[in-house]
Amino acid sequence: DFGDGSATATVPVVGGTATSTHTYTSTSGSPYTVTASYSGDTDFTTSTGTDTQTVEVAGTTTAVVTSPNPSVVGQPVDITVVVAAEAPGTGTPAGDVIVTFGDGSPAETVTLVGGTATVTHTYTSTSGSPYTVTATYAGNADFSASTGTETHVVAIAQTTTTVTSSPDPSVFGEQVTITATVTPTAPGAGTPGGTVFFVISGGPVLSAPVTAGTATVTTDALAVGPHTITATYNGNSNFGLSTGTDTHTVNQSATTTEVTSAPDPSLVGESVTATATVTATAPGAGTPTGTVTFDFGDGSAPVPGAVVGGTATATHAYATAAGSPFTITATYGGDTSFAGSSDTDSHTVGSVDTTTAVTSTPDPSVVGEPVTVTATVTATAPGAGTPTGTVTFDFGDGSPTETGTLVGGVATVTHAYATTAGSPYAITATYGGSGDFNPSTGTDTQTVGQAATTAAVTSTPDPSVVGESVTVTATVTADAPGAGTPTGTVTFDFGDGSPTETGTLVGGVATVTHAYATTAGSPYTITATYGGDTDFAGATGTDTQTVNQATTTAAVMSGPDPSVVGEPVTVTATVTADAPGAGTPTGTVTFDFGDGTPAVTETLVGGTVTTTHTYTDVAGSPYTINVSYGGDTDFAGATGADTQTVNQATTTAAVMSGPD
């Protein structure tokens, strides 16, 4: 009997000894009284003996096992604590075990059942991994306390990232919300943190923090078309990287086009600016680009305008008011992001005031010169365009008006002023207007001056001879561009010192005659000076007149003829100018009497010279008397001849004797 209430054990006595093995399962009652009662046999009587057995608490070992190990963040981990009696103790310890998880979370107390205690714990972070799990058995009356540990590794949990976008489809410019939901992949659990990067095909790269497992971004910068959105969760110390995709469609945004024109009303030819404002229709947003085509409603070719900053402009000048008011249509053709749209505006066009500017050229002009008078009719700003119609010109000199047709806004006529009387003249140009342009009048002054002239001088005959009558003619003509027939007088200077003469122009011609008395100074410069008149300026012209010697004739007379030997004979030579020459020759005449005597030279006086000669012989009679005129500056030489008959002289015979 082991004294602990357990069943007694009966064993045989062998060699006087009986042995039994007993395990005490508790210290409660220790020290125990062990009683051995011998039942006797045929040879020995019964007897009883006792002993005390002290039973102390058994040592224990505490073993800790975690499963799974390693685990991932958020994964439930089963922690099993086995407390066993340490030999030689046996039995099943009971009591509580305190388990600490090594991650700072509160310890848990669990009760051993059959020596085993189990607790489940979820690690929420890898920070501190590997963790030390400690199980502390507090012991009881039969078993001593003990502690066990286990190293537990916690790895990052894998994740799954899903992406959604809303609204889908959207329109260009509409704000799209993109959400990435990051969830741990089982057996991981928890709420991931960190950052998600959003890569949008054809769009921006965005990022957002993960809050409560969700990362959200918004964008209105997506182009029209399908887009692949890739959301990449970059993980952290507890959760692994993961990627998710979504397809998002962006359609064109509807637009509204509003067109205005300014100024309105405008004038013919005035530059009108048509402005089309293209805006995205909500929920679309952004600034449309592309082209707006403007049709100004007057049959002109449409004008494209580039959309810049949502606005397109085009300028147009209406060439006529016919058809006003015009309907301006602005048609936006759309672009890759925005759909087309159109709008209209009504535009009124009125007729334009005009200005008529008159110019004349040349100005000043001269009498008879063709003057080009030009009227330029222009639209008065802000109007523009090229006026058509006719212009009536009044030249201010009493001549009939003339009408010119505008070509390119310009009308031109020519007019020649016949006199300076009334200069400067007032030229008036009157534009009669047209359907699109109002009438107007312009003036200019035209100064008309004397026309320059040229005096042309001729003389005939040229050359002439001394004393010959020369006709000198001055022809006065208007110099181009002047025209007309000058009047007035011409003064002639013959260049020989003689008095001037005046001739009256008739039909632009004046004529005088003059006879040059000498060749001295030949050739002479004849100067004709036109004194001018009201319409024509004076002028001077010159000519040269060559005057040659006049030919002469030498006539000879002798007397008495016949003469007798020894009788004085008077010989007379008369030198005269031959026509058309005139005048009285001067100089000397040489006489050759034909009898071998020396020639005699005498000086002409009044064209005549006389000498006396006495013939001394009749041999050779009749004698030829030759005279030779040597000429002078103005008269050419000449010769003449005469015959002189010489007879015998009568004689008287006187007788004288001596001495007597």
Side-chain angles (χ1 to χ4, degrees):
D1 182 341
F2 301 100
D4 59 356
S6 61
T8 60
T10 299
V11 295
V13 178
V14 177
T17 299
T19 300
S20 176
T21 300
H22 179 73
T23 300
Y24 286 91
T25 60
S26 174
T27 62
S28 178
S30 176
Y32 293 97
T33 299
V34 180
T35 302
S37 296
Y38 175 53
S39 62
D41 62 8
T42 57
D43 297 323
F44 298 94
T45 61
T46 62
S47 60
T48 299
T50 61
D51 188 25
T52 58
Q53 174 66 35
T54 299
V55 178
E56 296 179 344
V57 292
T60 60
T61 58
T62 298
V64 183
V65 177
T66 59
S67 178
N69 188 11
S71 65
V72 296
V73 170
Q75 182 178 10
V77 176
D78 291 329
I79 303 172
T80 301
V81 180
V82 177
V83 180
E86 190 175 27
T90 61
T92 302
D96 294 328
V97 175
I98 299 173
V99 181
T100 58
F101 306 101
D103 59 356
S105 61
E108 290 191 30
T109 301
V110 291
T111 300
L112 290 170
V113 176
T116 300
T118 302
V119 66
T120 300
H121 182 70
T122 301
Y123 286 92
T124 60
S125 174
T126 61
S127 177
S129 176
Y131 296 98
T132 298
V133 180
T134 302
T136 303
Y137 173 54
N140 58 18
D142 299 323
F143 296 94
S144 64
S146 62
T147 299
T149 62
E150 164 83 332
T151 298
H152 185 82
V153 175
V154 179
I156 59 176
Q158 297 306 306
T159 59
T160 299
T161 298
T162 57
V163 186
T164 60
S165 57
S166 178
D168 185 13
S170 63
V171 295
F172 182 83
E174 182 176 8
Q175 190 169 73
V176 176
T177 299
I178 303 171
T179 302
T181 302
V182 183
T183 55
T185 303
T191 304
T195 303
V196 172
F197 290 91
F198 296 86
V199 177
I200 306 170
S201 62
V205 175
L206 306 171
S207 63
V210 179
T211 303
T214 300
T216 301
V217 294
T218 59
T219 180
D220 57 5
L222 299 182
V224 169
H227 297 273
T228 298
I229 304 172
T230 301
T232 301
Y233 169 57
N234 67 345
N236 60 16
S237 58
N238 299 322
F239 297 94
L241 180 147
S242 60
T243 299
T245 60
D246 184 33
T247 299
H248 183 86
T249 300
V250 179
N251 295 325
Q252 287 179 313
S253 171
T255 60
T256 299
T257 297
E258 293 184 0
V259 61
T260 59
S261 57
D264 185 14
S266 65
L267 302 175
V268 169
E270 182 175 7
S271 180
V272 174
T273 300
T275 301
T277 302
V278 184
T279 56
T281 303
T287 304
T289 61
T291 302
V292 171
T293 301
F294 295 87
D295 185 329
F296 292 95
D298 59 353
S300 60
V303 177
V307 179
V308 178
T311 300
T313 60
T315 58
H316 181 68
Y318 285 92
T320 179
S324 176
F326 298 96
T327 298
I328 300 175
T329 302
T331 302
Y332 171 54
D335 61 11
T336 55
S337 304
F338 296 93
S341 56
S342 65
D343 189 30
T344 61
D345 185 34
S346 179
H347 187 85
T348 301
V349 179
S351 59
V352 184
D353 289 338
T354 60
T355 300
T356 298
V358 186
T359 59
S360 55
T361 182
D363 185 15
S365 63
V366 295
V367 169
E369 180 176 9
V371 175
T372 299
V373 182
T374 301
T376 302
V377 181
T378 55
T380 302
T386 304
T388 59
T390 59
V391 174
T392 301
F393 294 88
D394 185 327
F395 303 103
D397 60 353
S399 61
T401 59
E402 291 188 30
T403 299
T405 300
L406 288 172
V407 177
V410 177
T412 302
V413 295
T414 58
H415 182 70
Y417 287 90
T419 179
T420 62
S423 176
Y425 296 97
I427 301 173
T428 303
T430 302
Y431 170 54
S434 66
D436 297 325
F437 298 93
N438 298 325
S440 60
T441 298
T443 60
D444 188 30
T445 57
Q446 173 68 32
T447 300
V448 179
Q450 291 175 313
T453 59
T454 298
V457 185
T458 60
S459 57
T460 183
D462 185 16
S464 64
V465 295
V466 171
E468 183 175 8
S469 179
V470 176
T471 299
V472 182
T473 301
T475 302
V476 181
T477 55
D479 291 345
T485 304
T487 62
T489 59
V490 175
T491 300
F492 294 89
D493 185 327
F494 303 103
D496 60 355
S498 61
T500 59
E501 291 189 28
T502 299
T504 300
L505 288 173
V506 177
V509 178
T511 303
V512 295
T513 59
H514 182 69
Y516 285 90
T518 179
T519 63
S522 176
Y524 295 98
T525 298
I526 302 174
T527 302
T529 302
Y530 171 53
D533 62 10
T534 303
D535 300 325
F536 297 94
T540 299
T542 62
D543 188 29
T544 57
Q545 174 68 35
T546 300
V547 179
N548 295 327
Q549 292 172 317
T551 61
T552 58
T553 299
V556 185
M557 282 183 11
S558 59
D561 184 18
S563 64
V564 296
V565 171
E567 183 180 10
V569 175
T570 298
V571 182
T572 300
T574 301
V575 181
T576 57
D578 294 338
T584 303
T586 62
T588 61
V589 174
T590 300
F591 295 86
D592 183 338
F593 301 104
D595 59 356
T597 59
V600 175
T601 299
E602 299 291 346
T603 299
L604 285 170
V605 176
T608 301
V609 62
T610 301
T611 187
T612 301
H613 183 67
T614 301
Y615 287 94
T616 61
D617 195 350
V618 296
S621 177
Y623 295 96
T624 299
I625 302 173
N626 289 303
V627 295
S628 176
Y629 172 51
D632 62 10
T633 303
D634 301 324
F635 297 95
T639 59
D642 190 25
T643 58
Q644 176 68 38
T645 301
V646 179
N647 294 325
Q648 291 175 320
T650 59
T651 61
T652 300
V655 182
M656 189 174 66
S657 63
D660 183 8

